[in-house]
């Protein structure tokens, strides 16, 4: 089976990435709605949707293992509706909630630009301005997100090996994609010259 063009592996990746984009997008919207409900509960003291959106000091993750120093902290848990299965649990702190939603937004945008790129790869004309544009957006998304990861790490003076590796791999992936953009631009130029010659 061929890698690019119609009826290729690129077509399979297109549908796989499209499914992941839809799944992550739904998770992002549901988590934002969940945090809005938790904010309402926090401000009013109301106990609406108490089995799905949980807020309190006794909230724990699925395995119920919490360090003792966190026992008095306000925590939240968002479950999948009607299932009681945990989607996300954490400390109820605005910065942590924002970072969690931001991370999910990055993953959603990553799959969006990736599936659009593979959509172009699975067409007859692989070298197109749309493919170049989608790859460029994917590369810049990775570089911007890597920079955003690095800034709080340095700002909070919590430079760890994991944070550095996370920054390095996301930034490296972004740079690698921008190199691919340069190759695709060159391929587009050659394809245009070839079309004019014919």
């Amino acid at each position: 089976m061929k890698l690019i063009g119609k009826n290729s592996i690129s077509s399979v990746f297109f549908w796989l990435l499209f499914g992941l984009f839809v799944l992550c997008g739904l998770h992002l919207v549901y988590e934002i709605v969940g945090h809005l409900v938790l904010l309402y509960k926090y401000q009013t003291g109301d106990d609406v949707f108490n089995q799905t959106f949980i807020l309190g000091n006794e909230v724990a993750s699925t395995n119920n293992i919490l360090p003792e120093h966190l026992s008095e902290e306000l925590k939240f848990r968002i479950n999948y509706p009607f299932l009681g299965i945990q989607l996300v649990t954490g400390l109820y702190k605005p910065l942590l909630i924002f970072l969690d939603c931001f991370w999910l937004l990055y993953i959603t945008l990553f799959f969006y630009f990736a599936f659009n790129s593979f959509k172009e790869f699975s067409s007859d004309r692989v070298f197109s301005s749309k493919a170049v544009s989608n790859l460029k957006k994917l590369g810049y998304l990775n570089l911007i997100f890597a920079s955003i990861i690095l800034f709080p790490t340095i700002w909070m003076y919590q430079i760890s090996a994991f944070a550095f590796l996370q920054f390095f791999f996301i930034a490296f992936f972004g740079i690698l994609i921008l190199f691919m953009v340069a190759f695709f631009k060159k391929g587009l130029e050659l394809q245009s010259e070839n079309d004019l010659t014919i």
Side-chain angles (χ1 to χ4, degrees):
M1 188 173 211
K2 56 186 181 174
L3 288 175
I4 56 175
K6 288 196 174 192
N7 300 322
S8 65
I9 294 176
S10 298
S11 301
V12 174
F13 274 110
F14 161 72
W15 287 110
L16 175 68
L17 292 166
F18 177 74
L20 289 170
F21 160 68
V22 169
L23 184 67
C24 288
L26 289 173
H27 270 82
L28 176 64
V29 169
Y30 180 66
E31 192 168 326
I32 290 171
V33 167
H35 285 300
L36 290 173
V37 170
L38 289 170
L39 179 64
Y40 170 78
K41 289 174 82 165
Y42 178 74
Q43 291 180 342
T44 63
D46 197 349
D47 202 23
V48 65
F49 302 115
N50 60 353
Q51 296 299 313
T52 307
F53 308 109
I54 306 163
L55 187 65
N57 293 343
E58 296 81 31
V59 175
S61 61
T62 304
N63 56 13
N64 291 325
I65 299 172
L66 283 174
E68 271 192 46
H69 69 279
L70 296 177
S71 61
E72 297 303 316
E73 293 278 343
L74 186 61
K75 294 170 275 304
F76 73 92
R77 178 173 166 165
I78 299 175
N79 292 332
Y80 287 105
F82 312 113
L83 299 175
I85 298 171
Q86 169 185 318
L87 169 67
V88 63
T89 300
L91 296 175
Y92 193 73
K93 296 190 176 196
L95 179 63
L96 297 177
I97 291 169
F98 172 77
L99 290 174
D100 182 52
C101 290
F102 186 75
W103 178 254
L104 197 51
L105 175 66
Y106 162 73
I107 293 171
T108 304
L109 288 173
F110 178 87
F111 285 131
Y112 174 75
F113 292 128
F115 101 76
N116 276 319
S117 297
F118 274 91
K119 180 181 178 183
E120 296 302 317
F121 299 159
S122 61
S123 68
D124 286 334
R125 294 183 63 86
V126 176
F127 296 109
S128 68
S129 57
K130 280 186 177 181
V132 170
S133 174
N134 286 321
L135 281 173
K136 192 184 293 186
K137 290 174 186 173
L138 186 59
Y140 286 137
L141 173 73
N142 280 286
L143 289 177
I144 289 168
F145 191 77
S147 301
I148 291 171
I149 287 174
L150 189 62
F151 178 71
T153 303
I154 292 172
W155 183 57
M156 293 182 205
Y157 303 105
Q158 294 180 349
I159 300 173
S160 65
F162 176 74
F164 179 75
L165 285 174
Q166 198 175 25
F167 161 77
F168 176 77
F169 283 117
I170 293 173
F172 179 75
F173 192 62
I175 292 168
L176 188 65
I177 290 172
L178 292 178
F179 272 99
M180 286 176 57
V181 167
F183 289 119
F184 265 77
K185 280 184 180 177
K186 189 67 175 170
L188 185 59
E189 287 174 18
L190 292 172
Q191 182 175 283
S192 298
E193 289 173 10
N194 191 28
D195 290 345
L196 288 174
T197 306
I198 292 172

